[in-house]
Amino acid sequence: MSKKTVTPTEEVETTQNEETQAEPQISFNQIAAVTEIIDLCSTRGSFRGQELEIVGQIRNAFAAFVSFHAPKEEEKPTSAPSAEGTEESSE
């Protein structure tokens, strides 16, 4: 009986290929949560003074994205299910 020798790099390559096949998903609610997390961290003093400018720029970019893509009041159907049940949907 012959044994096939598998090198560790072959196993790692297979694992990496399997991981890259699945497309990462992020929901609108997760993007909105980033803005809230930044606000909370800022309030608690989690950032150094020299970091505040770049953190603010990133926070503003996320906030603008959420504001732009959020459903407008006139677009919301009156019989829509609550947002709690649709958190996992990706937009």
Side-chain angles (χ1 to χ4, degrees):
M1 180 185 331
S2 66
K3 287 186 173 181
K4 181 179 178 183
T5 305
V6 178
T7 62
T9 53
E10 289 176 3
E11 292 176 17
V12 170
E13 288 174 7
T14 302
T15 304
Q16 289 174 349
N17 288 339
E18 291 172 3
E19 290 175 5
T20 57
Q21 291 176 357
E23 182 181 349
Q25 298 292 317
I26 187 166
S27 72
F28 180 78
N29 290 336
Q30 289 171 321
I31 294 171
V34 170
T35 304
E36 294 175 20
I37 291 168
I38 292 172
D39 289 344
L40 179 63
C41 291
S42 176
T43 301
R44 293 181 180 177
S46 299
F47 304 110
R48 295 185 195 123
Q50 65 268 27
E51 299 168 334
L52 290 176
E53 183 177 1
I54 190 68
V55 170
Q57 290 172 355
I58 293 169
R59 185 246 179 245
N60 290 342
F62 275 101
F65 179 89
V66 169
S67 177
F68 183 81
H69 291 289
K72 307 294 183 245
E73 289 298 321
E74 61 270 4
E75 293 178 6
K76 290 182 182 178
T78 55
S79 63
S82 68
E84 294 173 3
T86 59
E87 276 189 20
E88 293 301 318
S89 67
S90 61
E91 293 184 24

